[in-house]
Coordinates of all heavy atoms in Angstrom, one line a residue:
T646 N 40.9 -56.2 58.6 CA 40.4 -57.7 58.7 C 41.3 -58.6 57.8 O 41.3 -59.8 57.9 CB 39.0 -57.9 58.0 OG1 39.1 -57.6 56.6 CG2 38.0 -57.0 58.8
V647 N 42.2 -57.9 57.0 CA 43.1 -58.7 56.1 C 44.6 -58.5 56.3 O 45.4 -59.0 55.6 CB 42.8 -58.4 54.6 CG1 41.4 -59.0 54.2 CG2 42.9 -57.0 54.3
A648 N 44.9 -57.7 57.4 CA 46.3 -57.4 57.6 C 47.1 -58.6 58.2 O 46.5 -59.4 58.9 CB 46.4 -56.2 58.5
T649 N 48.4 -58.6 57.9 CA 49.3 -59.6 58.5 C 50.3 -58.8 59.3 O 50.3 -57.6 59.2 CB 50.0 -60.4 57.4 OG1 51.1 -59.5 56.9 CG2 49.2 -60.8 56.2
P650 N 51.2 -59.4 60.1 CA 52.2 -58.7 60.8 C 53.0 -57.9 59.8 O 53.6 -56.9 60.3 CB 53.0 -59.7 61.5 CG 52.0 -60.9 61.6 CD 51.2 -60.9 60.4
F651 N 53.2 -58.3 58.6 CA 54.0 -57.5 57.7 C 53.1 -56.6 56.8 O 53.5 -56.2 55.7 CB 54.8 -58.4 56.9 CG 56.0 -59.0 57.6 CD1 55.9 -60.3 58.1 CD2 57.1 -58.3 57.8 CE1 57.0 -60.9 58.8 CE2 58.2 -58.8 58.6 CZ 58.1 -60.1 59.1
G652 N 51.9 -56.4 57.2 CA 51.1 -55.4 56.5 C 50.0 -56.1 55.6 O 49.6 -57.2 55.9
V653 N 49.4 -55.3 54.7 CA 48.3 -55.8 53.9 C 48.8 -56.1 52.4 O 49.5 -55.3 51.8 CB 47.3 -54.6 53.8 CG1 46.1 -55.1 52.8 CG2 46.7 -54.3 55.2
P654 N 48.5 -57.3 52.0 CA 48.9 -57.7 50.6 C 48.4 -56.6 49.6 O 47.5 -56.0 49.8 CB 48.3 -59.0 50.4 CG 48.1 -59.6 51.8 CD 47.8 -58.4 52.7
L655 N 49.2 -56.6 48.5 CA 48.9 -55.6 47.5 C 47.4 -55.8 46.9 O 46.7 -54.9 46.7 CB 50.0 -55.7 46.3 CG 49.8 -54.8 45.1 CD1 49.9 -53.3 45.6 CD2 50.9 -55.1 44.1
D656 N 47.2 -57.2 46.6 CA 45.8 -57.5 46.2 C 45.7 -59.0 46.3 O 46.6 -59.7 46.7 CB 45.5 -57.0 44.8 CG 46.4 -57.6 43.7 OD1 46.5 -58.8 43.6 OD2 47.0 -56.8 42.9
T657 N 44.5 -59.5 46.0 CA 44.2 -60.9 46.2 C 44.8 -61.9 45.2 O 44.7 -63.1 45.4 CB 42.6 -61.2 46.1 OG1 42.1 -60.3 45.1 CG2 42.0 -60.8 47.4
R658 N 45.6 -61.4 44.2 CA 46.2 -62.3 43.4 C 47.5 -62.9 44.0 O 47.9 -64.0 43.5 CB 46.6 -61.6 42.1 CG 45.4 -61.2 41.2 CD 45.8 -60.4 40.0 NE 46.2 -59.1 40.4 CZ 46.5 -58.1 39.6 NH1 46.6 -58.3 38.3 NH2 46.9 -57.0 40.0
H659 N 48.1 -62.3 45.0 CA 49.4 -62.7 45.5 C 49.4 -62.4 47.0 O 48.6 -61.6 47.5 CB 50.5 -62.1 44.8 CG 50.5 -62.1 43.3 ND1 51.1 -63.2 42.7 CD2 50.0 -61.3 42.4 CE1 50.9 -63.0 41.4 NE2 50.2 -61.9 41.1
T660 N 50.4 -63.0 47.7 CA 50.6 -62.6 49.1 C 51.6 -61.5 49.3 O 51.9 -61.0 50.4 CB 50.9 -63.8 50.0 OG1 52.1 -64.4 49.4 CG2 49.8 -64.8 50.1
Y661 N 52.3 -61.1 48.2 CA 53.3 -60.1 48.4 C 52.6 -58.7 48.5 O 51.4 -58.5 48.2 CB 54.3 -60.1 47.3 CG 53.8 -60.0 45.8 CD1 53.1 -58.9 45.3 CD2 54.2 -61.0 44.9 CE1 52.7 -58.9 44.0 CE2 53.8 -61.0 43.6 CZ 53.1 -59.9 43.1 OH 52.7 -59.8 41.8
T662 N 53.4 -57.7 48.8 CA 52.9 -56.3 48.9 C 54.0 -55.3 48.5 O 55.1 -55.7 48.1 CB 52.3 -56.0 50.3 OG1 51.5 -54.8 50.2 CG2 53.4 -55.8 51.3
K663 N 53.6 -54.1 48.5 CA 54.5 -52.9 48.2 C 54.5 -52.0 49.3 O 53.5 -51.5 49.8 CB 54.0 -52.2 47.0 CG 54.1 -53.0 45.6 CD 55.5 -53.0 45.0 CE 55.7 -51.7 44.3 NZ 56.9 -51.1 44.5
S664 N 55.7 -51.7 49.8 CA 55.9 -50.7 50.9 C 55.4 -49.3 50.6 O 54.7 -48.7 51.4 CB 57.3 -50.8 51.4 OG 58.2 -50.2 50.4
D665 N 55.7 -48.9 49.4 CA 55.3 -47.5 49.0 C 53.8 -47.4 49.0 O 53.2 -46.4 49.6 CB 55.9 -47.1 47.7 CG 55.8 -48.1 46.6 OD1 55.4 -49.3 46.9 OD2 56.0 -47.8 45.4
W666 N 53.1 -48.4 48.4 CA 51.6 -48.3 48.3 C 50.9 -48.4 49.7 O 49.9 -47.8 49.9 CB 51.1 -49.2 47.3 CG 51.6 -49.0 45.9 CD1 51.9 -49.9 45.0 CD2 51.7 -47.7 45.2 NE1 52.2 -49.3 43.8 CE2 52.1 -48.0 43.9 CE3 51.4 -46.4 45.6 CZ2 52.3 -47.0 43.0 CZ3 51.7 -45.4 44.7 CH2 52.2 -45.6 43.4
Q667 N 51.6 -49.2 50.6 CA 51.0 -49.2 51.9 C 51.1 -47.9 52.7 O 50.1 -47.5 53.3 CB 51.7 -50.3 52.8 CG 51.3 -51.7 52.3 CD 51.9 -52.7 53.3 OE1 51.3 -53.1 54.3 NE2 53.2 -53.1 53.0
I668 N 52.2 -47.3 52.5 CA 52.3 -45.9 53.2 C 51.4 -44.9 52.5 O 50.8 -44.1 53.2 CB 53.8 -45.4 53.2 CG1 54.7 -46.4 53.9 CG2 53.9 -44.1 53.9 CD1 54.5 -46.5 55.4
V669 N 51.3 -45.0 51.2 CA 50.4 -44.1 50.5 C 48.9 -44.4 50.9 O 48.1 -43.4 51.1 CB 50.6 -44.3 49.0 CG1 49.5 -43.6 48.2 CG2 51.9 -43.7 48.6
T670 N 48.6 -45.7 51.1 CA 47.2 -46.0 51.6 C 47.0 -45.5 53.0 O 46.0 -44.9 53.4 CB 47.1 -47.5 51.5 OG1 47.3 -48.0 50.2 CG2 45.6 -47.9 52.0
A671 N 48.1 -45.6 53.8 CA 48.0 -45.1 55.2 C 47.8 -43.6 55.2 O 47.0 -43.0 55.9 CB 49.4 -45.3 55.9
A672 N 48.4 -42.9 54.2 CA 48.2 -41.5 54.1 C 46.8 -41.1 53.7 O 46.2 -40.2 54.2 CB 49.2 -40.8 53.1
M673 N 46.2 -41.9 52.8 CA 44.9 -41.6 52.3 C 43.9 -41.8 53.4 O 42.8 -41.3 53.4 CB 44.5 -42.4 51.0 CG 43.6 -43.6 51.2 SD 43.8 -44.8 49.9 CE 42.5 -45.9 50.4
L674 N 44.2 -42.8 54.4 CA 43.3 -43.1 55.5 C 43.6 -42.3 56.7 O 42.9 -42.4 57.8 CB 43.3 -44.6 55.8 CG 42.8 -45.5 54.6 CD1 43.1 -47.0 54.9 CD2 41.3 -45.2 54.3
Q675 N 44.6 -41.4 56.7 CA 45.1 -40.6 57.8 C 43.9 -39.9 58.5 O 43.8 -40.0 59.8 CB 46.1 -39.6 57.3 CG 46.3 -38.3 58.1 CD 47.3 -38.5 59.2 OE1 47.6 -39.6 59.6 NE2 47.7 -37.4 59.7
S676 N 43.0 -39.2 57.8 CA 42.0 -38.5 58.4 C 40.8 -39.4 58.8 O 39.8 -38.9 59.4 CB 41.5 -37.4 57.6 OG 41.1 -37.8 56.3
T677 N 40.8 -40.7 58.4 CA 39.7 -41.6 58.6 C 39.9 -42.5 59.8 O 39.0 -42.6 60.6 CB 39.4 -42.5 57.3 OG1 39.2 -41.6 56.2 CG2 38.2 -43.3 57.5
S678 N 41.1 -43.0 59.8 CA 41.4 -44.0 60.9 C 42.9 -44.0 61.2 O 43.6 -44.6 60.4 CB 40.9 -45.4 60.6 OG 41.4 -46.3 61.5
T679 N 43.2 -43.5 62.4 CA 44.7 -43.6 62.7 C 45.0 -45.0 63.1 O 46.2 -45.4 62.9 CB 45.0 -42.7 64.0 OG1 44.1 -42.9 65.0 CG2 44.9 -41.2 63.6
A680 N 44.1 -45.8 63.4 CA 44.4 -47.2 63.8 C 44.8 -48.0 62.5 O 45.8 -48.6 62.5 CB 43.2 -47.9 64.5
T681 N 44.0 -47.8 61.4 CA 44.4 -48.5 60.2 C 45.7 -47.9 59.6 O 46.6 -48.6 59.2 CB 43.3 -48.4 59.1 OG1 42.1 -48.8 59.7 CG2 43.5 -49.2 57.9
R682 N 45.9 -46.6 59.8 CA 47.1 -45.9 59.3 C 48.3 -46.6 60.0 O 49.3 -47.0 59.4 CB 47.1 -44.4 59.7 CG 48.3 -43.7 59.4 CD 48.4 -42.4 60.2 NE 48.7 -42.6 61.6 CZ 48.7 -41.6 62.5 NH1 48.3 -40.4 62.2 NH2 48.9 -41.9 63.8
D683 N 48.2 -46.7 61.4 CA 49.3 -47.3 62.1 C 49.6 -48.7 61.8 O 50.7 -49.2 61.8 CB 49.1 -47.1 63.6 CG 49.1 -45.6 64.0 OD1 49.6 -44.8 63.1 OD2 48.7 -45.2 65.1
L684 N 48.5 -49.5 61.4 CA 48.6 -50.9 61.1 C 49.5 -51.0 59.9 O 50.4 -51.9 59.8 CB 47.2 -51.4 60.9 CG 47.1 -53.0 60.7 CD1 47.4 -53.7 62.0 CD2 45.6 -53.2 60.3
L685 N 49.2 -50.1 58.9 CA 49.9 -50.2 57.6 C 51.4 -49.8 57.8 O 52.3 -50.4 57.3 CB 49.2 -49.3 56.6 CG 47.9 -49.8 56.0 CD1 47.0 -48.7 55.5 CD2 48.2 -50.9 54.9
V686 N 51.6 -48.7 58.6 CA 53.0 -48.2 58.9 C 53.7 -49.3 59.6 O 54.9 -49.7 59.3 CB 52.9 -46.9 59.7 CG1 54.3 -46.7 60.2 CG2 52.4 -45.8 58.8
S687 N 53.1 -50.0 60.6 CA 53.8 -51.0 61.3 C 54.2 -52.2 60.5 O 55.2 -52.9 60.7 CB 53.1 -51.4 62.6 OG 52.0 -52.3 62.3
G688 N 53.4 -52.5 59.5 CA 53.7 -53.6 58.5 C 55.0 -53.4 57.7 O 55.8 -54.2 57.6
V689 N 55.1 -52.1 57.3 CA 56.3 -51.7 56.6 C 57.5 -51.7 57.5 O 58.6 -52.1 57.1 CB 56.1 -50.3 55.9 CG1 57.4 -49.9 55.2 CG2 55.0 -50.4 54.8
H690 N 57.3 -51.2 58.7 CA 58.4 -51.1 59.7 C 58.8 -52.5 60.0 O 60.1 -52.8 60.1 CB 57.9 -50.4 60.9 CG 59.0 -50.1 61.9 ND1 59.4 -51.0 62.9 CD2 59.8 -49.0 62.1 CE1 60.4 -50.5 63.6 NE2 60.6 -49.2 63.1
A691 N 57.9 -53.5 60.1 CA 58.3 -54.9 60.4 C 59.2 -55.4 59.3 O 60.2 -56.2 59.5 CB 57.0 -55.7 60.6
F692 N 58.8 -55.0 58.0 CA 59.7 -55.5 56.9 C 61.0 -54.9 56.9 O 62.1 -55.6 56.9 CB 59.0 -55.2 55.5 CG 59.9 -55.2 54.4 CD1 60.6 -56.3 54.1 CD2 60.2 -54.0 53.7 CE1 61.5 -56.3 53.0 CE2 61.0 -54.0 52.6 CZ 61.7 -55.1 52.3
A693 N 61.1 -53.6 57.1 CA 62.4 -52.9 57.0 C 63.3 -53.3 58.1 O 64.5 -53.3 58.0 CB 62.1 -51.3 57.1
S694 N 62.8 -53.6 59.3 CA 63.5 -54.0 60.5 C 63.6 -55.4 60.7 O 64.0 -55.8 61.8 CB 63.0 -53.2 61.7 OG 61.7 -53.7 62.0
A695 N 63.2 -56.2 59.8 CA 63.0 -57.7 60.0 C 64.3 -58.4 60.4 O 64.4 -59.3 61.2 CB 62.4 -58.4 58.8
A696 N 65.5 -57.8 59.8 CA 66.8 -58.4 60.2 C 66.8 -59.9 60.0 O 67.1 -60.7 60.9 CB 67.2 -58.0 61.6
I697 N 66.4 -60.3 58.7 CA 66.5 -61.7 58.5 C 67.6 -61.9 57.4 O 67.9 -61.0 56.7 CB 65.1 -62.3 57.9 CG1 64.6 -61.5 56.7 CG2 64.1 -62.4 59.0 CD1 63.3 -62.0 56.1
S698 N 68.2 -63.1 57.5 CA 69.5 -63.3 56.8 C 69.3 -63.0 55.3 O 70.3 -62.6 54.6 CB 70.1 -64.6 57.0 OG 69.2 -65.6 56.6
S699 N 68.1 -63.2 54.7 CA 68.0 -63.1 53.2 C 67.9 -61.6 52.8 O 68.1 -61.3 51.6 CB 66.9 -63.9 52.7 OG 65.7 -63.4 53.3

Side-chain angles (χ1 to χ4, degrees):
T646 69
V647 293
T649 77
F651 288 101
V653 174
L655 181 62
D656 61 52
T657 38
R658 289 173 290 180
H659 307 273
T660 52
Y661 57 58
T662 192
K663 292 277 285 134
S664 62
D665 48 347
W666 295 139
Q667 285 186 91
I668 301 289
V669 165
T670 304
M673 106 200 183
L674 295 174
Q675 152 88 343
S676 59
T677 303
S678 165
T679 53
T681 308
R682 175 197 76 186
D683 293 345
L684 188 69
L685 288 157
V686 167
S687 73
V689 174
H690 190 271
F692 160 63
S694 63
I697 55 181
S698 57
S699 60

